[in-house]
Amino acid sequence: MTHPMLTPAVMDRAAMLLVDMNRSHLDHEMGHLLVAKPEADRIIDAAVKVREAWAAARRPVIFVRTHHRWNSDTGEVIDNRNPFWMAQHKAPIPGLAKPRKTLAVEGAAVTEVVPQLAPRPGEHTVFKHRYSPFHNTDLELLLKNLGTETLVIGGVNTNNCVLCTCFEAFNRDFRVVLMPDVCASMNGADYHDASLKLIEAALGWLVPSTDVIAACSAQGTP
Protein backbone atom coordinates (compact mmCIF):
# COMPACT_ATOMS: atom_id res chain seq x y z
CA MET A 1 0.00 0.00 0.00
CA THR A 2 1.25 3.46 -0.92
CA HIS A 3 0.36 6.31 1.41
CA PRO A 4 -1.67 8.91 -0.55
CA MET A 5 0.68 11.68 0.57
CA LEU A 6 3.76 9.96 -0.85
CA THR A 7 3.16 10.88 -4.47
CA PRO A 8 5.95 10.55 -7.06
CA ALA A 9 6.39 14.35 -6.96
CA VAL A 10 6.86 14.27 -3.17
CA MET A 11 9.21 11.30 -3.32
CA ASP A 12 11.32 12.97 -5.98
CA ARG A 13 12.29 15.74 -3.55
CA ALA A 14 12.49 13.71 -0.35
CA ALA A 15 15.41 12.62 1.83
CA MET A 16 15.52 9.98 4.55
CA LEU A 17 16.85 11.16 7.90
CA LEU A 18 17.84 8.45 10.41
CA VAL A 19 18.51 9.98 13.83
CA ASP A 20 20.85 8.46 16.42
CA MET A 21 20.52 4.87 15.24
CA ASN A 22 23.64 4.32 17.25
CA ARG A 23 25.16 1.56 19.33
CA SER A 24 24.59 3.45 22.57
CA HIS A 25 20.83 3.12 22.12
CA LEU A 26 20.49 -0.08 20.10
CA ASP A 27 23.48 -2.41 20.60
CA HIS A 28 22.80 -4.46 23.72
CA GLU A 29 26.34 -5.80 23.76
CA MET A 30 27.85 -2.38 24.44
CA GLY A 31 25.22 0.35 24.81
CA HIS A 32 24.15 2.21 27.94
CA LEU A 33 21.15 4.42 27.09
CA LEU A 34 19.41 1.43 25.60
CA VAL A 35 16.03 0.96 24.01
CA ALA A 36 14.47 -2.30 25.22
CA LYS A 37 15.86 -5.23 23.22
CA PRO A 38 12.60 -6.17 21.44
CA GLU A 39 12.11 -2.56 20.38
CA ALA A 40 15.73 -2.22 19.28
CA ASP A 41 15.45 -5.35 17.15
CA ARG A 42 12.14 -4.15 15.70
CA ILE A 43 13.33 -0.74 14.59
CA ILE A 44 16.66 -2.01 13.25
CA ASP A 45 14.83 -4.59 11.13
CA ALA A 46 12.35 -2.01 9.81
CA ALA A 47 15.10 0.54 9.18
CA VAL A 48 17.21 -1.95 7.21
CA LYS A 49 14.30 -2.76 4.91
CA VAL A 50 13.19 0.81 4.29
CA ARG A 51 16.76 2.01 3.80
CA GLU A 52 17.30 -0.64 1.13
CA ALA A 53 14.19 0.44 -0.75
CA TRP A 54 15.04 4.10 -0.36
CA ALA A 55 18.59 3.63 -1.60
CA ALA A 56 17.33 1.58 -4.53
CA ALA A 57 15.07 4.51 -5.42
CA ARG A 58 18.22 6.65 -5.53
CA ARG A 59 16.97 9.09 -2.93
CA PRO A 60 19.35 10.65 -0.33
CA VAL A 61 20.00 8.86 2.97
CA ILE A 62 21.31 11.01 5.83
CA PHE A 63 22.47 9.68 9.20
CA VAL A 64 22.50 11.98 12.22
CA ARG A 65 24.94 11.03 14.98
CA THR A 66 25.57 12.56 18.39
CA HIS A 67 29.00 12.91 19.91
CA HIS A 68 30.65 15.34 22.28
CA ARG A 69 34.17 16.61 22.72
CA TRP A 70 35.74 15.46 25.96
CA ASN A 71 38.04 17.23 28.40
CA SER A 72 40.26 14.41 29.66
CA ASP A 73 41.73 16.63 32.39
CA THR A 74 38.38 17.40 34.05
CA GLY A 75 36.40 14.36 32.88
CA GLU A 76 33.68 16.64 31.53
CA VAL A 77 31.92 17.06 28.21
CA ILE A 78 32.76 20.34 26.47
CA ASP A 79 30.00 20.62 23.89
CA ASN A 80 26.87 20.46 26.05
CA ARG A 81 26.75 22.62 29.17
CA ASN A 82 23.00 22.93 29.46
CA PRO A 83 22.18 23.11 33.20
CA PHE A 84 19.35 20.58 33.06
CA TRP A 85 21.38 18.14 30.97
CA MET A 86 24.29 18.42 33.41
CA ALA A 87 22.01 18.06 36.45
CA GLN A 88 20.65 14.78 35.07
CA HIS A 89 24.03 13.08 35.21
CA LYS A 90 24.13 10.16 37.64
CA ALA A 91 20.38 10.55 38.20
CA PRO A 92 18.02 7.67 37.31
CA ILE A 93 16.73 7.87 33.74
CA PRO A 94 12.91 7.87 33.67
CA GLY A 95 11.61 4.55 32.43
CA LEU A 96 15.09 3.03 32.25
CA ALA A 97 16.12 2.82 35.93
CA LYS A 98 19.79 3.35 35.10
CA PRO A 99 21.97 6.32 36.00
CA ARG A 100 22.66 8.74 33.20
CA LYS A 101 26.27 9.08 32.19
CA THR A 102 28.03 10.40 29.10
CA LEU A 103 29.70 7.79 26.93
CA ALA A 104 29.00 9.42 23.55
CA VAL A 105 32.30 11.23 23.27
CA GLU A 106 34.21 11.90 20.09
CA GLY A 107 35.64 8.66 18.67
CA ALA A 108 33.79 6.32 21.07
CA ALA A 109 32.36 3.15 19.54
CA VAL A 110 28.93 3.79 21.11
CA THR A 111 28.48 6.79 18.80
CA GLU A 112 28.69 4.58 15.70
CA VAL A 113 25.62 3.69 13.69
CA VAL A 114 24.68 0.06 14.39
CA PRO A 115 26.48 -2.30 11.98
CA GLN A 116 23.26 -3.37 10.27
CA LEU A 117 22.81 0.24 9.07
CA ALA A 118 26.43 1.30 8.61
CA PRO A 119 26.56 4.26 6.21
CA ARG A 120 27.58 3.43 2.67
CA PRO A 121 29.50 5.43 0.07
CA GLY A 122 27.27 8.19 -1.26
CA GLU A 123 25.23 8.43 1.95
CA HIS A 124 25.67 11.39 4.27
CA THR A 125 26.42 11.85 7.98
CA VAL A 126 25.74 14.92 10.12
CA PHE A 127 27.15 15.22 13.64
CA LYS A 128 25.18 17.07 16.31
CA HIS A 129 25.73 18.11 19.93
CA ARG A 130 22.13 18.79 20.97
CA TYR A 131 18.75 17.19 20.40
CA SER A 132 18.36 19.23 17.22
CA PRO A 133 20.15 18.00 14.07
CA PHE A 134 19.93 21.56 12.69
CA HIS A 135 21.53 23.46 15.57
CA ASN A 136 25.07 24.51 14.61
CA THR A 137 25.34 21.83 11.91
CA ASP A 138 25.38 21.94 8.12
CA LEU A 139 22.21 19.82 7.76
CA GLU A 140 20.07 22.64 6.40
CA LEU A 141 22.70 23.52 3.79
CA LEU A 142 23.00 19.85 2.80
CA LEU A 143 19.22 19.55 2.40
CA LYS A 144 19.10 22.74 0.33
CA ASN A 145 21.86 21.48 -1.96
CA LEU A 146 20.04 18.15 -2.36
CA GLY A 147 16.83 19.95 -3.32
CA THR A 148 14.96 18.42 -0.39
CA GLU A 149 11.40 19.45 0.44
CA THR A 150 10.27 16.39 2.44
CA LEU A 151 12.02 14.59 5.30
CA VAL A 152 11.16 10.95 5.97
CA ILE A 153 12.35 10.45 9.54
CA GLY A 154 13.12 7.56 11.88
CA GLY A 155 15.32 7.11 14.91
CA VAL A 156 15.88 7.29 18.66
CA ASN A 157 14.70 8.64 21.05
CA THR A 158 11.18 9.47 19.91
CA ASN A 159 10.59 11.91 22.78
CA ASN A 160 13.75 13.99 22.48
CA CYS A 161 15.97 13.91 19.37
CA VAL A 162 13.28 12.63 16.99
CA LEU A 163 10.62 14.99 18.35
CA CYS A 164 13.04 17.92 18.19
CA THR A 165 13.95 16.98 14.62
CA CYS A 166 10.28 17.10 13.63
CA PHE A 167 9.76 20.49 15.27
CA GLU A 168 12.89 21.94 13.70
CA ALA A 169 12.03 20.56 10.24
CA PHE A 170 8.48 21.91 10.53
CA ASN A 171 9.80 25.36 11.48
CA ARG A 172 11.91 25.36 8.32
CA ASP A 173 8.91 24.46 6.14
CA PHE A 174 9.98 20.93 5.32
CA ARG A 175 7.22 18.39 4.86
CA VAL A 176 7.57 16.07 7.88
CA VAL A 177 6.92 12.34 7.52
CA LEU A 178 7.68 10.17 10.54
CA MET A 179 7.90 6.38 10.38
CA PRO A 180 6.56 5.32 13.80
CA ASP A 181 7.78 1.73 13.40
CA VAL A 182 11.34 3.03 12.89
CA CYS A 183 11.26 4.94 16.21
CA ALA A 184 11.55 3.99 19.87
CA SER A 185 12.47 5.50 23.23
CA MET A 186 14.81 4.39 25.99
CA ASN A 187 12.22 5.95 28.34
CA GLY A 188 9.63 3.40 27.28
CA ALA A 189 6.44 3.02 25.29
CA ASP A 190 4.49 5.76 27.11
CA TYR A 191 7.03 8.41 26.09
CA HIS A 192 7.15 7.05 22.54
CA ASP A 193 3.36 7.06 22.20
CA ALA A 194 2.97 10.55 23.67
CA SER A 195 5.50 11.91 21.18
CA LEU A 196 3.71 10.30 18.25
CA LYS A 197 0.50 12.02 19.33
CA LEU A 198 2.23 15.40 19.42
CA ILE A 199 3.79 14.91 16.01
CA GLU A 200 0.59 13.70 14.37
CA ALA A 201 -1.41 16.56 15.90
CA ALA A 202 0.90 19.43 15.01
CA LEU A 203 3.92 18.58 12.90
CA GLY A 204 3.48 15.98 10.20
CA TRP A 205 2.31 12.65 8.90
CA LEU A 206 2.81 9.27 10.57
CA VAL A 207 3.53 6.82 7.77
CA PRO A 208 4.61 3.20 8.38
CA SER A 209 7.86 2.14 6.75
CA THR A 210 5.94 -0.44 4.70
CA ASP A 211 4.08 2.41 2.99
CA VAL A 212 7.37 4.19 2.32
CA ILE A 213 8.74 0.99 0.75
CA ALA A 214 5.61 0.74 -1.39
CA ALA A 215 6.08 4.33 -2.54
CA CYS A 216 9.65 3.48 -3.58
CA SER A 217 8.39 0.47 -5.50
CA ALA A 218 5.74 2.60 -7.20
CA GLN A 219 8.57 4.60 -8.74
CA GLY A 220 9.71 1.51 -10.58
CA THR A 221 12.28 0.29 -8.07
CA PRO A 222 12.55 -3.28 -6.75
Side-chain angles (χ1 to χ4, degrees):
M1 176 181 178
T2 301
H3 192 280
M5 196 275 296
L6 296 179
T7 64
V10 167
M11 292 288 289
D12 191 51
R13 299 182 70 84
M16 178 165 291
L17 196 64
L18 295 175
V19 180
D20 285 341
M21 297 289 283
N22 59 42
R23 301 181 78 176
S24 178
H25 291 310
L26 300 174
D27 186 341
H28 277 252
E29 292 186 2
M30 69 182 307
H32 176 65
L33 305 177
L34 287 161
V35 168
K37 185 67 163 59
E39 295 297 287
D41 292 343
R42 170 183 63 79
I43 70 168
I44 290 172
D45 181 64
V48 166
K49 291 174 182 175
V50 72
R51 186 268 204 100
E52 289 295 337
W54 195 264
R58 298 184 180 277
R59 301 307 309 143
V61 176
I62 303 169
F63 291 90
V64 177
R65 292 170 56 187
T66 300
H67 71 191
H68 302 294
R69 296 176 186 88
W70 180 257
N71 186 331
S72 58
D73 291 333
T74 65
E76 293 180 328
V77 163
I78 296 169
D79 291 310
N80 194 340
R81 309 297 292 172
N82 178 273
F84 182 74
W85 186 82
M86 293 173 67
Q88 286 184 307
H89 279 254
K90 299 182 180 179
I93 298 170
L96 191 58
K98 292 174 67 176
R100 187 183 297 274
K101 59 182 178 180
T102 298
L103 298 178
V105 298
E106 196 169 23
V110 293
T111 71
E112 298 170 357
V113 174
V114 289
Q116 299 94 319
L117 290 166
R120 299 167 178 168
E123 297 178 336
H124 309 284
T125 299
V126 172
F127 290 95
K128 66 182 178 67
H129 304 294
R130 296 292 191 279
Y131 293 148
S132 169
F134 290 94
H135 179 71
N136 282 336
T137 76
D138 63 352
L139 176 60
E140 191 165 7
L141 178 62
L142 173 61
L143 294 173
K144 177 182 177 181
N145 290 341
L146 292 171
T148 303
E149 295 179 355
T150 298
L151 288 178
V152 177
I153 301 166
V156 182
N157 290 289
T158 321
N159 54 298
N160 46 50
C161 293
V162 172
L163 180 60
C164 187
T165 297
C166 292
F167 268 109
E168 295 273 13
F170 176 90
N171 289 340
R172 289 165 172 81
D173 289 337
F174 289 102
R175 184 182 288 106
V176 174
V177 176
L178 182 73
M179 300 177 289
D181 58 322
V182 189
C183 295
S185 174
M186 67 180 182
N187 303 108
D190 289 347
Y191 289 81
H192 169 77
D193 292 340
S195 302
L196 295 183
K197 289 180 181 179
L198 289 173
I199 292 165
E200 186 174 37
L203 302 175
W205 290 265
L206 301 186
V207 179
S209 64
T210 50
D211 285 9
V212 175
I213 292 170
C216 292
S217 298
Q219 290 190 303
T221 60

